[in-house]
Amino acid sequence: MRTLALVIAIVGLAVSLPVTPGIGAAPAAIQLGAVIPLSGRYGGGGAQIRAGYQFAVADINRAGGVSVGGQKIPLALTILDDGSDATKTVSQFETLGSQGSIVFLGGFGSDLHAAAAAVAEKDKIPYCGVAFALHSVHEQGFKYLFSPFPKSPQLAVETYRALNASIPAGQRPTRVAIFEERTDWGREMADNWTARSQEYGYQVVLRAQYSPGAQDLSDIILRAKSAGANAVFALPTPPDGITMIRQMKQLDFSPQLAVIVRAADAVTWSQALGKDGDDVLLMPGWHHSEQFPGVTALNAEHQAQYGRPADVVVGPAYACVQIVANAIQRAGKLDSTAIRDAMASTNMMTVEGPVKFRPDGTGIVPTVIVQWQNGQQQMVWPKNLGGIPMIYPAPAWRAR
């Protein structure tokens, strides 16, 4: 797999030197290092992460950079592609650390973030990651890990809260089939959906495992159909999610509702599935219709470059750079430990909304649910942030 390296701004030789008022010369740039899956199974999501980072760095540099010790210093961002391979995630971050990155920015996919977080902790370099809901990583006592993104327990609760608030009691799809990816996050999310189901009035009638990359999902689909499931919850990779929908159609399994986390984030979902990709719900952490400071400008930039408003993971990625820049400024020096301490005390407004961190590095952030409607991603939850009505029930395949 070829490595893609992209450098924004000019990286000086003295990037890692501390800067304090009146002492020494400022470096030419502050070096940030990101490892992102720009190819492989997460490539579509990784492209959104890259765009968010690049827009944020460009905007900060356009304003003169980050103020450190009374001097404005631009950001320099190096991006490496891990090909959606966790082993390469580790080696690429090791490379960035050896080259002087003082903050790490993560990619897309919980398994890749889990691998990266251990490197950041070992090297004592602050790490900011989004598109990353695996909560168990935050239970390992890491001090350098920060994720302004909702985690599995929060996503499970918000799934049921959104359904109950959007669908009248007598019409809800209360018989749930969970298609459980055989991974740490697959198990964790299935555990949370199952644990919270009864208190919200739902019954998990099937919890069936499948392996990532499986080409034949007919067994679990037919079991869900036989169990009378009228809702499907899953968190497949993008290729697996597309396979899942296509085979559900082939087997004439038409649940009234499908929650397809992660796979449906990228625009490639609709490009691959057309109308069959409509009506599914996803939880990407953000939507371009949110009315937080900076969102309008970000949408305008994204529209100019890509011909559409900012994609759903662009906002959280942009927010990560905002958080890092704010922490560097408050730290007052280019020292990773000082920046880490400043990140831990984050309390700021971003394009993602207000952000704080718990002691375990999980973010206190809004949870957003989006639905594909007529080929567009529309925010349907929460209502107080402008969520529009949810389309329910989803039409049968033959009616699309």
Side-chain angles (χ1 to χ4, degrees):
M1 189 65 64
R2 292 182 300 174
T3 296
L4 171 65
L6 179 143
V7 180
I8 299 178
I10 300 172
V11 182
L13 296 176
V15 153
S16 61
L17 294 178
V19 177
T20 55
I23 301 177
I30 301 168
Q31 186 172 346
L32 312 180
V35 177
I36 305 173
L38 299 173
S39 55
R41 66 193 192 280
Y42 294 141
Q48 294 188 32
I49 296 289
R50 174 179 61 183
Y53 290 162
Q54 289 177 338
F55 281 128
V57 168
D59 288 347
I60 289 169
N61 286 347
R62 194 175 297 117
V66 179
S67 179
V68 184
Q71 302 174 76
K72 285 272 194 174
I73 308 174
L75 297 174
L77 174 64
T78 300
I79 296 177
L80 303 181
D81 176 19
D82 60 17
S84 303
D85 182 336
T87 302
K88 292 182 179 178
T89 305
V90 171
S91 63
Q92 299 285 46
F93 271 119
E94 293 282 13
T95 296
L96 291 173
S98 69
Q99 292 176 349
S101 293
I102 62 168
V103 177
F104 287 158
L105 301 173
F108 183 96
S110 287
D111 52 333
L112 305 186
H113 285 290
V119 178
E121 193 70 18
K122 175 181 66 69
D123 293 345
K124 292 183 168 46
I125 296 175
Y127 179 91
C128 190
V130 293
F132 161 36
L134 183 63
H135 185 258
S136 62
V137 178
H138 292 271
E139 300 175 320
Q140 299 180 35
F142 290 160
K143 300 299 183 184
Y144 286 78
L145 170 63
F146 300 93
S147 180
F149 200 82
K151 301 300 168 182
S152 299
Q154 188 175 350
L155 295 181
V157 169
E158 292 301 306
T159 300
Y160 295 122
R161 288 187 65 226
L163 296 185
N164 286 1
S166 303
I167 305 171
Q171 301 174 31
R172 292 171 191 157
T174 57
R175 297 178 61 81
V176 178
I178 298 175
F179 293 165
E180 180 182 340
E181 184 183 76
R182 196 174 281 112
T183 58
D184 289 345
W185 188 37
R187 180 176 61 254
E188 179 182 276
M189 196 68 229
D191 285 346
N192 279 277
W193 271 325
T194 301
R196 305 307 295 268
S197 59
Q198 290 189 358
E199 68 184 278
Y200 287 95
Y202 294 79
Q203 178 187 5
V204 176
V205 297
L206 176 71
R207 182 172 165 176
Q209 290 189 332
Y210 70 94
S211 296
Q215 298 300 305
D216 184 1
L217 301 174
S218 59
D219 176 63
I220 64 174
I221 292 170
L222 290 173
R223 287 166 61 192
K225 185 176 181 180
S226 177
N230 51 14
V232 167
F233 295 174
L235 47 81
T237 64
D240 290 352
I242 291 169
T243 297
M244 190 176 289
I245 293 296
R246 286 174 173 166
Q247 293 186 6
M248 286 168 60
K249 180 179 181 179
Q250 291 168 3
L251 297 169
D252 195 30
F253 174 46
S254 296
Q256 295 173 306
L257 180 138
V259 178
I260 307 293
V261 181
R262 184 172 59 181
D265 288 358
V267 294
T268 51
W269 175 264
S270 185
Q271 293 168 353
L273 292 170
K275 291 182 179 180
D276 293 340
D278 275 344
D279 308 316
V280 304
L281 300 173
L282 52 146
M283 291 184 275
W286 186 76
H287 188 263
H288 61 76
S289 67
E290 293 179 71
Q291 298 302 304
F292 296 121
V295 174
T296 299
L298 175 56
N299 282 331
E301 289 182 285
H302 199 279
Q303 184 76 44
Q305 184 161 333
Y306 295 101
R308 60 182 183 273
D311 298 324
V312 288
V313 193
V314 170
Y318 191 104
C320 248
V321 178
Q322 289 182 298
I323 291 164
V324 166
N326 176 266
I328 292 171
Q329 182 168 312
R330 287 186 293 111
K333 55 183 176 180
L334 302 184
D335 173 80
S336 290
T337 299
I339 296 168
R340 178 267 162 215
D341 292 344
M343 287 181 69
S345 63
T346 294
N347 182 3
M348 65 177 294
M349 181 62 71
T350 71
V351 295
E352 192 183 9
V355 176
K356 294 182 181 179
F357 291 111
R358 300 179 183 91
D360 63 1
T362 55
I364 302 173
V365 294
T367 300
V368 171
I369 297 181
V370 173
Q371 185 177 43
W372 279 99
Q373 299 184 359
N374 298 315
Q376 301 293 322
Q377 293 176 330
Q378 304 288 354
M379 185 173 68
V380 297
W381 182 262
K383 302 300 183 185
N384 66 348
L385 292 183
I388 69 172
M390 181 185 298
I391 293 177
Y392 176 85
W397 301 116
R398 57 183 174 275
R400 293 178 183 241

